[in-house]
Amino acid sequence: MGGTVTKLRALMINTTCHYHVLYHPGFRSNRKIIEEEILWYKEHNIPAYYGIYGRNIFRNAFAVTRIIKKYHIDIVHYYFNHEQSFAVLVKLLNPNVKMIRSIVGYDSKLPMLRHFAAQVSFSLVPNYVYISQYIKGLYEKEYPILKKKHTSIIYNGAVNVKKVVTPIGKRKKIVAIGGLCARKNSDVLIECMNIIVNVHNRKDIVLYIIGDGPDREESEVKLKQYNIRNNVILVGYTDKVSDYLDDCAVYVHPAITEGFGIAVTEAMQMHCPCIVANRGALPELIMDGECGFVIDAFAPEEWAKKIMFLFDNIMERVRMGENAYTRAKRYFSLEAFVQKHDELYNLLIQ
């Protein structure tokens, strides 16, 4: 479900040299959602199967084996810990099939028994794809056996992107996309807007925070306390993300544990200069001083300074926005995502 599926669909449709089949393992609790998902693949002539077998590794492995035999599958590519649990059995039943695990985020530390089972499974699968160097480092620290594996970095591809955008010099909004929670570090944005409005008297600068979370009530209290409710708009969830980015003069992303940062790359592809925290995978996305700025995650004065600088300097916004677009198209687009996967599959098959 979620963003991973969106990118896999793009891969299945846009690949120029491979044939894809989907297997979706699931539980009774999400059967209805899975059945609705499967319809999309049928509409696009992609063979798709599912098994409501819960944690029964044998039934899942046998279901995948039937697909392998029917379609003469060369590669099995899987993404989550649930599939990891029966991947080894799939390999034992199909010794000639190449196995790849994509690791798309960092899970919290597993209980001892599950940690041991994961390590055994990791030891028997030779190929791994990570969405960032940051995630690769976290996993190799947790499971040292992964340092000996064949690994690739394939960055996510941006999804919420308009092909025709408003010129960057005409845009007015400061935009952030992320939940209102400690991990997304939205509090630093409220503090920096307090500085912008009440210290520098810049009531013309307005920040829109897209997303929601457990810290919303606390955030609203601070906005009232600082008297900046007209300058920080808590949008909540919306399906109009690309519309906000199309009026985004400066994109800001202060998250501290981001495994990738898909929202940043979407902003980049819409010609937005970006200010990001020096944490997680974010420094891999932005070239400091070229596509935007990489700054201390917990320095609201610095965030305020950089926001005002880019808001007031249209030429710099244009230069950095164009650099951001060029970099994103090369490394973080759906086209790059598909190309890198095709190259990896060709390499393994050969």
Side-chain angles (χ1 to χ4, degrees), residues 84-97:
Q84 185 83 38
S85 67
F86 58 86
V88 173
L89 187 54
V90 170
K91 179 63 176 175
L92 291 174
L93 293 169
N94 306 276
N96 293 326
V97 167

Side-chain angles (χ1 to χ4, degrees), residues 274-295:
C274 300
I275 306 172
V276 302
N278 58 348
R279 298 294 187 93
L282 298 178
E284 296 177 47
L285 308 182
I286 297 296
M287 297 178 66
D288 187 39
E290 294 298 320
C291 309
F293 297 108
V294 180
I295 61 178

Side-chain angles (χ1 to χ4, degrees), residues 19 24 40 76-77 86 133 157 159 163 189 200 289 296 307:
Y19 184 77
H24 196 321
W40 183 93
V76 172
H77 193 163
F86 58 86
Q133 292 287 352
V159 177
K163 293 183 178 179
L189 295 180
H200 296 278
D296 187 330
I307 288 172

